[in-house]
Amino acid sequence: MDLRLLSSFLAVVEEGHFGRAAARLFLSPPAVTQHVRRLETDLGTRLLHRNPVSPTPAGERLARHARTLLAAANAALDDVAEAADRAPFAADRPLRVGIMGHGSAELTPASVNAYRRARPHIAVELRQLDFTEHVSALVEDRVDVAFVRPTPADERVIADVLTTEQRIVAVPESHALADARDTGARLDDITDLPFFRVPGHTPRSFTDYLYFDRAARRRSTHYALTPQEVLTGVVSGRAAGSGLKSFARYYAWPGAVFVPVLDAPRESSYLAVRAADRNPEVQIFRALTLALAKELGPRISE
């Protein structure tokens, strides 16, 4: 049974409302609704009355089981994490590479492939990071290196500049600003765009980057944790997004238009590692990436 579906179902039961459950989970209401429908399809029975929202008898039973299953899953994760913290570093442990969004554009796959060629006996695990994991994925030892932006403001992490690019905003093709896709816009033009929200525990340095150091003041009611969720909000007309120029090459969605922001300061992407990490594989990956950045970085940054 998919624990994500159970989590969404239990949140709706406890909140008594699909919208409040979605906000609690930082998901969209349609996503939560789909999760509940999938559960009902899988189990072959109605779990929730819709108006008003309340559990059916079958739903009440599932809610009790869901609490137990989710608590057991969390306990298992905590137990494994504790064991991992106590274990010495294993030479055959995979190198875990965190990638936020599209990372550092073409430089990210080039670095991973260069490391694989140089260290074929070390497995590489790629892990997608959401916006809240700008620092936490490293400091909580869930990844060993991370392609992130902007630079993490945390003394436990060190970061190297890889690319430096023009900023862009993403808007629906029906928006008036979409006409500026070729000529560009200015910070004054984006002040009232409904930029998506992020959870409260997102690092301040990342929110300042997203909102152009707070120059973009308006906020949508739409939350997003990944570029895909940003673009879902954009093409549905519920939110606007921001990013680096290379974002447009990797997320060319029909209905989304990318507009350069001419007077916004250029921003960089970074390779971040733990400051105290002495893992030699991390140092090898970092050295290879910095060498490639000297070659590819200027081309990406054009």
Side-chain angles (χ1 to χ4, degrees):
M1 186 171 290
D2 192 328
L3 295 180
R4 294 174 304 167
L5 306 187
L6 284 179
S7 181
S8 291
F9 165 72
L10 188 58
V12 175
V13 170
E14 293 177 348
E15 296 292 339
H17 191 275
F18 279 84
R20 289 195 296 270
R24 168 172 147 181
L25 298 171
F26 301 113
L27 296 173
S28 65
V32 172
T33 301
Q34 183 182 35
H35 287 176
V36 172
R37 285 176 178 167
R38 282 179 56 190
L39 263 182
E40 291 179 328
T41 299
D42 291 346
L43 296 174
T45 187
R46 178 64 67 91
L47 299 172
L48 292 172
H49 300 296
R50 276 8 184 222
N51 191 18
V53 175
S54 63
T56 64
E60 290 178 354
R61 292 193 181 190
L62 181 61
R64 293 195 295 270
H65 291 299
R67 290 187 181 94
T68 301
L69 289 169
L70 291 171
N74 290 331
L77 290 174
D78 291 342
D79 187 52
V80 171
E82 182 181 358
D85 288 341
R86 293 178 178 177
F89 178 78
D92 59 350
R93 190 176 93 170
L95 184 76
R96 301 162 300 169
V97 180
I99 305 172
M100 178 176 287
H102 69 301
S104 295
E106 291 83 357
L107 181 57
T108 297
S111 299
V112 172
N113 290 333
Y115 177 81
R116 282 175 167 154
R117 288 192 297 269
R119 308 290 287 169
H121 58 291
I122 302 293
V124 177
E125 291 183 359
L126 304 182
R127 302 189 179 184
Q128 200 68 39
L129 304 181
D130 67 38
F131 299 149
T132 69
E133 297 176 297
H134 179 229
V135 173
S136 61
L138 278 168
V139 300
E140 294 173 6
D141 194 25
R142 287 183 274 114
V143 299
D144 300 305
V145 299
F147 290 89
V148 300
R149 57 194 174 279
T151 183
D154 193 301
E155 62 184 10
R156 296 168 293 179
V157 174
I158 56 176
D160 301 295
V161 175
L162 299 180
T163 66
T164 302
E165 302 180 50
Q166 185 179 47
R167 296 299 307 280
I168 57 96
V169 292
V171 297
E173 61 183 358
S174 59
H175 195 280
L177 199 60
D179 292 338
R181 72 182 78 192
D182 296 321
T183 57
R186 296 192 171 275
L187 286 170
D188 287 346
D189 300 321
I190 68 170
T191 299
D192 293 326
L193 288 178
F195 282 88
F196 66 89
R197 294 179 182 270
V198 291
H201 60 283
T202 304
R204 173 66 182 269
S205 59
F206 191 76
T207 58
D208 284 348
Y209 156 79
L210 287 178
Y211 304 136
F212 297 89
D213 289 322
R214 309 286 165 167
R217 295 191 292 271
R218 187 179 168 199
R219 301 290 178 267
S220 168
T221 57
H222 182 71
Y223 278 84
L225 290 176
T226 65
Q228 291 80 6
E229 291 176 348
V230 171
L231 289 168
T232 298
V234 169
V235 299
S236 63
R238 293 183 293 167
S242 71
L244 302 179
K245 183 179 178 180
S246 58
F247 184 94
R249 295 200 298 275
Y250 283 79
Y251 297 102
W253 280 30
V257 173
F258 302 99
V259 180
V261 184
L262 303 176
D263 57 343
R266 290 165 69 87
E267 284 282 1
S268 299
S269 67
Y270 296 81
L271 181 72
V273 301
R274 286 182 291 277
D277 197 336
R278 298 297 177 260
N279 179 357
E281 299 305 324
V282 169
Q283 304 309 318
I284 292 170
F285 188 93
R286 183 184 179 196
L288 286 170
T289 300
L290 290 177
L292 284 167
K294 292 180 180 179
E295 175 187 352
L296 298 179
R299 282 187 256 167
I300 296 171
S301 300
E302 290 177 355

